[in-house]
Each structure stands twice: as structure tokens, then as C-alpha cells.
Amino acid sequence: MKSDFPLFLELRKQISPCSSQVLVKMSTTIPTAFLPPFLAQGDKVIYSDGDVHGSVFWLHFCRHCKQLRNRNGIQEEIEVLRCTSCSETFTHSETSEKEHGCPQCFECPVCSQALIVRSSIVSSGEVAPEDLSAEAKALQEKKFHLVCRTCRWSTRSAGIPDATKQSSVVSPWNFKPSSSTHADVLALADYYRGQSITDRASMISKNQKPKKYRPGYPFIADKYKLVSVAQKRISAASAAPPDMVVLQARLPNVGYLDNLTECSDEKLLRSVSVEEAQKRLTLDKRLCYPGEQPLTAEKLLPRNKPLVVKKLSRCKACQHVMTKTDFAAAHTVKFKINSSAPLLVPTIKPCKPSLTVGKSCTFVVTVKNPFVNDIQMSFSPVPEAEVMPSWINGVAVQNVELPSTPVTILSRLCVADEKPSEGTGALAREESSFVAFRKLYTVGLKFTCTPVSKEMDNWVSFMITYDYQEVQNTLFTSASGTDLTNSSSGEPKPKEPQIQTTWITLRVDMNLGKAV
Amino acid sequence: MFEMEERFYYPKDFVETNTGNKVNKKTILCGSQQILLSGKSILEQDSVIRADLAAVRIGKFFVLGRGAVLKPSYKTLNKPAVNTQSGATGLNFMYSSMNIGEYVFVNENSFVQASMIGNHVYIGQNCVVSRGVIIRDCVSIADNTYVPPDTVIPPFAVFAGNIGTR
């Protein structure tokens, strides 16, 4: 718990205040204490593609660039904000003033559940409930209050007056605590907004310089009376557009700034001990401290229902969308577009081998095919010119023997009960030397190596090459514009989808552990 | 600040569920259908959860010490309760559900009747947390503290004393 606050501050600093987009930049190295145990063990298999390296579960694969991307190569954006209570969607700019809360829905201050609106008819005079006359109805008034269904908290119990009007667009309640500086802050914000409009207007007027008329052929122009027409056009273009209004913003008079006294040099330049400096509040901590804090539950006010964020992540190089989430029920996350590496890169996992220093050992490596088509994967040793990467904390093994021929791995669509085709039988006989087993879309391959170290981890490095197939959808008409419809039947003939194959090469480093 | 020290236990004294909850066989669970344990929680010997009065929802990594009591908070209503048979009137009160966050540690012999407890909260030994108390995140309540009813304890606060103050 004690280390949560510094991490929170670190993440707050990295949120850049853009007006249209909020870029949330997560730190690349998350402290091990915050990771779940299966992630804190350390990466056993690291994929590398140029400068990008990491476990397959932490990487993305850009379908357009055909390269791996880590967190530095991705930018996250807020697409839309949604309220779980009323299912309304909002943009970032609409909710930035309301602290990213729904303007219509509120949360119970006791149990954080959504509050519901209840109405009651209150009569201002003495009216019998059975009296349905117009005079009686005129005295009755409909009033609205908020109630929590779980803990039965209501605005009436907290002493908040009922609202007389209820609108589906604007909520009649405003529970923000009033502060003396709120009006000053709003005035300053309006001033700077006006200042930005003035600056923008001056920039536009500077760019639209009046063009100098150079009479190249004055005798022709005079002959055809074009000089007066051209001069009229230039004079019209140099005028400001009718929609532009130049505002003269005024800095508001903020009273408490006038009473400031200058600090003497003795106070500003005195030396401060380390202990005293640690006791003082930093600016970040001071901003986090709330202005007002209620002591009892009766003074708690409902707050605007926090909005759920629908995020989008893009590849920084090609600006294509990598991940697009979708709102789903309960706590699941659905994706419209998902470019996570485990879905687009074959997953390699070594089985726990028994290693002895100096002795050749054989171990099984499982490879899973994530695609809906069969893939061909080949293994090759790392070029000798490549040095051991700096992120590997270990020693490279010797005498690595990899599968010599390309391996075919079946697609995810293959079913266990299906009889193997003739091709797969022949395939199995050819690969029997290095294929340990085949199970649906997983294949186990035999690797051989000689471990070197007892104290440090032994690493195996190799290159993998596999075919990445993309299906390109085609229209009914051809590129030349001729109609592909069958003239006799009158029905369109769809073209067969074209498959584009790209061979992708990645470097893989596997950690086998320490030898005995 | 507070971390449960490692200690050994006899597996035969505990019932371990699929979600990793370890419940001592001598724990008193009233209204077990209304108890929701999210996972990886420990309920020690002689601890009591009174979920027969209202639902108790507990987050992950919750530890309930020996002899501690969890009881939902109640609220008195304006309308008095009337016994239809005898016609006698009495106090009308209603129990509301109790929500507890993650990483909460309730130490031994404490009595907790708060309506809401946030995440990362430590409640010391022999504490009394009265009804209607709202404890926010990252709060520490020292040993032998009495928290008065309807108190709101803000985040990152340290509460101590009898009567408890920040």
C-alpha cells in the first residue's frame, strides 16, 4: 500500500492535457510488486523484431506494418465515454468540465450504487386527496427526489431540497460544493478561451495576405476591361470573412492577487534541512488534498456517476487502429479489432527440460497456430554477426539443433474427430525425426542443445519464419469497370477472395533455466 | 505498514474453495447464501459474519481475524413498526448490504458494522466500527479504536483513539 501513491503520481504526470485526445502513456516497466504471480516470474520466451522485444503476451502485431509493436509503439486514445446507468455516450470535451461524470446520473454516497428519481405530489394548501377539481390540482405540485434502492439513502434524509422540474437532458441537481474560488476560475477560463479565439483570428488574417496585382499585359487588360474586374476580386479577398468576430477579452479582477506582499530575501534564500523538506507538502500532494471533507455520512453528497471509457489504440508508425474495444455486459471486455500478438503470432513454449552442464539434452517445444489457416514454419539459427542482446540475463547454450525442414501446423478450425487426410499422414512420416506430437493446432518439436552454466540461466536463440495470410475482399465489378454479372441469369458472380501471403521472420530467445 | 506475516496452518482445519478462499471450520457464517467472497480470502477461527440480516459482499484478499465480527449496518426509519397481532409499536429499522473492497485486513476481536469499506484498509485489534460508518480507501484504524456512528473516514487517513479521531 505504501508504494501505491508514488506510482499513482507517476501515472498522473504522464497524462498529457490535450483538448481533443487524452493520451494515457503507461510506463513501460511496471514494478514487479504490482504484477500477478504468473507475470512476475519473468519472461521465458522473448520475441524480437528490430528494436521491439518482449513476451508475446505484452506485444501487439500491426497487420499493416507487419511488425511487432510494444507499448512505446502504440498510442492510446479515448474514443467515447459511456454511462452504465443511462447508456448515454459522451465525448471527452463534453465531460471534461464535469470531471468525467454523467451529467444526469448520480451515485449513492454510501454504497456507490446508481440513484433513481422518484416523484411525489405535494400540495401547497389544504387539499383533500379525493378532490379532483381544477383548483385542487393547481395547488398540487410534483416534486422529484433521488433514492438509493440498496441502502434506502435519499436526498430528503440528507436535507437536500426536492427539485420541481425534471428533464431528460439537463439534471436539476448540482451537488458540487460551492467555493469562493470557483467563480474566479470560471472567469479566468472564459478569458483564456476568448484570448485563444483572438489569437486564432490574427493567425488567419496573417496567412491571408492581399495578393499584389501585377499587370503583365495592361493593353490587353484595358482592351477587354479586365483591370477593374481583377481589382474588385482582390479587394474582396483581402477583407476578413463575415463570420469572424474579434473579441477583446479582459483579464478578470481577482481580488486576492492584489493583496500579495513580496517575500524578503531572507525567507526565500534560507537553507532548509532534509528533514524539514520531507515534512513539507509537495505541489502534487497539495492538489490531491480535497478542499472540503465531510465528517459524518449525513453531509455526504451524491456524485456524478463515473463514465466507462472506450479506448482505442493506434500504431504510431502507420496510424491504423490496433485495438478497438466494445462495450459489453458485466465485467467482460469485447474487441471489435484486436491486434494482440498471441492472436497473430505463433506462441512458442518450452516444456521444462532437465539440464546437465556439458551434456547434450533434448527437450520439447510446443508451437500453437493462432490462425484459421494452416501455416508453414521454419527454424534457422541466429546469424553469427548478431550479439547476445543486452536484455538477456544469462548465457547462450551450445550445439543447438533445430528442426531442419519446415513444419506444417494445422489451423484452429481442425476438429479432433476428423479423420486425418492423406497429406497429413505423409507429412507425419517425413517429420517424425523432430515432431514429438501433434494435437489439433499444436505441434511439439524436439530441440537439442548443450547447457553451459549452473549459476546463470541458459538461453536458446533461433529465428522463426512463418507465412502470414491476409484475405482481401473484392467487389463484384472488376478493376476495369466491366460488369461481372452473368448476362443470362442476371445474378452477380462473386469473385473468389484473394489471399496475400507475407513471410514474417522473428527472433525468439527461450530461457531454459539453470542447469544441474 | 501492515502485512500479514507468514504463518503455517493445518489444512484439515480449513475448507479451501476453488477461488482460493480459506474458511476455518469453526467460523460462524449466518446466511451463507448472502455472503459473496470474491476470492483468495481467509476467515479465521471463531469469526462471525451475520449475512442473515443483509448481504455481505467482500472483495479479494480479505482477512478476517480470530474472533472478529462482521455485521451489516442498519438504519432507523421514521415510521414505527407495528405488531399486527398485539398492536404494540417499536423501533423500525432496516439492515442494508455491506460492501467491502479488496486487500482489507480486519484484525482479531474487532466488531465491524460499517456500511462500506474501501480497498487497502487495515482495522486493528479490539476495534469497534459502529453502524453507518463509511471507510474510504487506504485507511488504517489503530488498535483499540472506537469509531462513532455515521463517521466518514477519508482516504489515506489514520484513525485512532477512543472516541476515534484522525
Side-chain angles (χ1 to χ4, degrees):
Chain A
M1 189 215 79
K2 54 188 170 183
S3 55
D4 275 349
F5 194 69
L7 179 69
F8 164 68
L9 287 180
E10 196 185 317
L11 290 173
R12 264 190 75 243
K13 282 176 194 171
Q14 291 174 4
I15 294 173
S16 65
C18 291
S19 59
S20 59
Q21 294 171 355
V22 173
L23 302 173
V24 180
K25 196 173 165 188
M26 296 288 284
S27 58
T28 51
T29 52
I30 298 172
T32 315
F34 297 103
L35 289 174
F38 68 93
L39 287 176
Q41 283 167 9
D43 299 328
K44 284 194 174 174
V45 182
I46 296 180
Y47 290 69
S48 310
D49 186 10
D51 295 333
V52 175
H53 65 271
S55 169
V56 71
F57 303 104
W58 288 98
L59 297 174
H60 287 77
F61 183 81
C62 181
R63 294 164 204 254
H64 303 274
C65 306
K66 308 282 188 305
Q67 285 178 350
L68 286 175
R69 295 271 177 253
N70 59 4
R71 284 169 179 262
N72 285 333
I74 288 169
Q75 63 183 43
E76 286 189 340
E77 301 165 7
I78 291 177
E79 193 185 344
V80 80
L81 296 141
R82 179 175 160 266
C83 174
T84 50
S85 181
C86 59
S87 302
E88 281 276 333
T89 54
F90 305 93
T91 57
H92 175 68
S93 54
E94 285 173 4
T95 58
S96 56
E97 287 181 12
K98 295 261 181 186
E99 294 171 357
H100 301 293
C102 181
Q104 297 162 30
C105 303
F106 296 95
E107 225 177 40
C108 177
V110 175
C111 61
S112 304
Q113 299 294 318
L115 293 173
I116 55 172
V117 180
R118 285 232 171 116
S119 63
S120 57
I121 295 172
V122 176
S123 55
S124 52
E126 288 182 3
V127 175
E130 299 159 353
D131 194 354
L132 297 172
S133 63
E135 291 172 355
K137 280 187 183 175
L139 290 172
Q140 288 174 348
E141 199 182 4
K142 207 172 186 182
K143 290 203 172 180
F144 304 92
H145 61 279
L146 294 169
V147 168
C148 177
R149 275 182 290 193
T150 43
C151 65
R152 304 287 177 94
W153 180 92
S154 71
T155 48
R156 285 179 175 173
S157 61
I160 298 166
D162 293 350
T164 50
K165 286 180 188 175
Q166 176 63 10
S167 162
S168 60
V169 179
V170 177
S171 176
W173 289 283
N174 183 18
F175 296 116
K176 274 192 179 172
S178 59
S179 63
S180 57
T181 55
H182 186 61
D184 293 336
V185 169
L186 284 177
L188 278 171
D190 287 337
Y191 165 72
Y192 284 114
R193 216 172 281 133
Q195 197 68 31
S196 69
I197 294 171
T198 317
D199 291 343
R200 208 182 299 162
S202 62
M203 271 173 60
I204 290 169
S205 61
K206 275 182 193 173
N207 289 337
Q208 284 184 349
K209 286 182 183 175
K211 289 181 185 175
K212 288 183 181 177
Y213 175 67
R214 289 179 185 175
Y217 300 98
F219 55 93
I220 296 172
D222 278 336
K223 184 178 178 181
Y224 294 103
K225 292 179 185 177
L226 293 173
V227 173
S228 58
V229 171
Q231 278 178 345
K232 275 182 190 172
R233 279 185 192 169
I234 289 161
S235 60
S238 62
D243 296 332
M244 192 69 65
V245 176
V246 178
L247 299 172
Q248 287 182 355
R250 289 179 194 174
L251 191 66
N253 290 326
V254 183
Y256 44 78
L257 288 178
D258 298 331
N259 299 328
L260 287 178
T261 53
E262 286 187 17
C263 267
S264 61
D265 286 345
E266 291 174 358
K267 284 183 186 175
L268 285 173
L269 298 174
R270 68 185 181 91
S271 59
V272 173
S273 66
V274 173
E275 289 171 356
E276 196 181 341
Q278 281 174 355
K279 281 181 189 174
R280 285 182 182 272
L281 273 177
T282 60
L283 183 63
D284 280 324
K285 283 185 188 174
R286 183 64 190 90
L287 290 173
C288 289
Y289 198 78
E292 290 174 20
Q293 200 108 249
L295 287 174
T296 56
E298 293 160 353
K299 293 180 185 173
L300 281 176
L301 296 172
R303 53 187 175 187
N304 294 82
K305 186 93 180 152
L307 299 172
V308 173
V309 174
K310 192 173 161 190
K311 279 198 286 190
L312 192 81
S313 66
R314 287 181 188 276
C315 173
K316 277 187 182 174
C318 62
Q319 294 295 319
H320 279 99
V321 174
M322 302 271 288
T323 309
K324 196 170 183 180
T325 54
D326 193 10
F327 293 123
H331 299 286
T332 59
V333 178
K334 277 186 184 175
F335 290 94
K336 282 183 183 173
I337 303 170
N338 194 356
S339 295
S340 303
L343 300 174
L344 296 165
V345 174
T347 312
I348 295 173
K349 191 179 167 186
C351 297
K352 200 173 179 182
S354 56
L355 305 173
T356 314
V357 172
K359 275 190 179 177
S360 170
C361 68
T362 306
F363 57 95
V364 176
V365 172
T366 55
V367 183
K368 282 187 186 175
N369 179 8
F371 304 108
V372 294
N373 52 277
D374 298 349
I375 60 166
Q376 289 263 330
M377 183 181 266
S378 60
F379 298 84
S380 56
V382 173
E384 288 179 4
E386 280 196 25
V387 187
M388 192 83 162
S390 57
W391 60 80
I392 289 177
N393 184 19
V395 179
V397 296
Q398 293 172 352
N399 305 329
V400 178
E401 287 179 22
L402 303 167
S404 50
T405 53
V407 180
T408 303
I409 309 173
L410 299 176
S411 71
R412 279 191 166 259
L413 298 177
C414 67
V415 181
D417 295 336
E418 268 185 5
K419 288 181 184 176
S421 59
E422 293 173 357
T424 53
L427 209 70
R429 274 181 255 123
E430 285 175 9
E431 298 167 347
S432 58
S433 59
F434 50 81
V435 173
F437 65 88
R438 277 186 183 275
K439 189 180 176 186
L440 296 175
Y441 51 87
T442 308
V443 67
L445 301 169
K446 293 176 192 169
F447 281 44
T448 310
C449 70
T450 307
V452 172
S453 168
K454 283 184 186 178
E455 289 84 25
M456 296 177 78
D457 290 335
N458 292 283
W459 287 78
V460 177
S461 305
F462 52 91
M463 308 291 286
I464 57 168
T465 307
Y466 66 96
D467 56 328
Y468 174 72
Q469 293 182 8
E470 269 184 308
V471 177
Q472 288 181 342
N473 295 321
T474 56
L475 298 172
F476 290 109
T477 53
S478 66
S480 59
T482 55
D483 199 353
L484 288 175
T485 55
N486 190 352
S487 57
S488 58
S489 63
E491 288 175 359
K493 264 190 183 176
K495 260 192 177 176
E496 284 183 7
Q498 291 180 359
I499 296 172
Q500 188 185 4
T501 305
T502 314
W503 290 92
I504 291 166
T505 305
L506 301 171
R507 176 181 168 140
V508 178
D509 297 284
M510 278 196 311
N511 183 2
L512 301 178
K514 289 169 189 166
V516 174
Chain B
M1 180 167 38
F2 59 91
E3 262 190 40
M4 200 175 153
E5 57 192 16
E6 288 180 359
R7 62 177 194 85
F8 295 97
Y9 68 99
Y10 289 108
K12 60 178 182 180
D13 292 338
F14 285 81
V15 171
E16 191 162 344
T17 65
N18 292 337
T19 47
N21 297 311
K22 292 185 184 69
V23 181
N24 196 301
K25 290 179 184 175
K26 291 184 181 175
T27 311
I28 302 165
L29 300 174
C30 305
S32 51
Q33 295 96 334
Q34 297 207 84
I35 300 174
L36 180 69
L37 285 170
S38 296
K40 306 236 173 77
S41 300
I42 300 171
L43 304 181
E44 292 274 17
Q45 187 179 352
D46 298 329
S47 55
V48 178
I49 299 181
R50 290 293 306 274
D52 54 333
L53 303 167
V56 176
R57 292 186 206 100
I58 300 169
K60 288 188 227 171
F61 303 102
F62 171 73
V63 177
L64 188 62
R66 194 179 273 206
V69 176
L70 279 185
K71 191 178 174 188
S73 173
Y74 66 89
K75 189 179 165 182
T76 49
L77 302 174
N78 293 328
K79 286 181 186 175
V82 179
N83 192 327
T84 49
Q85 289 181 352
S86 62
T89 57
L91 269 178
N92 197 2
F93 53 90
M94 186 201 70
Y95 285 93
S96 58
S97 60
M98 191 180 197
N99 294 312
I100 298 175
E102 297 181 351
Y103 297 93
V104 174
F105 188 6
V106 180
N107 219 328
E108 295 177 6
N109 298 320
S110 290
F111 176 79
V112 177
Q113 207 177 6
S115 51
M116 194 201 89
I117 301 177
N119 302 318
H120 300 277
V121 171
Y122 171 77
I123 298 173
Q125 292 183 13
N126 306 317
C127 291
V128 174
V129 178
S130 309
R131 61 169 184 86
V133 169
I134 296 167
I135 305 174
R136 294 280 185 216
D137 297 343
C138 303
V139 163
S140 172
I141 298 175
D143 297 345
N144 308 311
T145 306
Y146 169 70
V147 183
D150 294 323
T151 309
V152 175
I153 304 177
F156 300 98
V158 178
F159 222 77
N162 183 2
I163 296 171
T165 49
R166 268 197 287 154

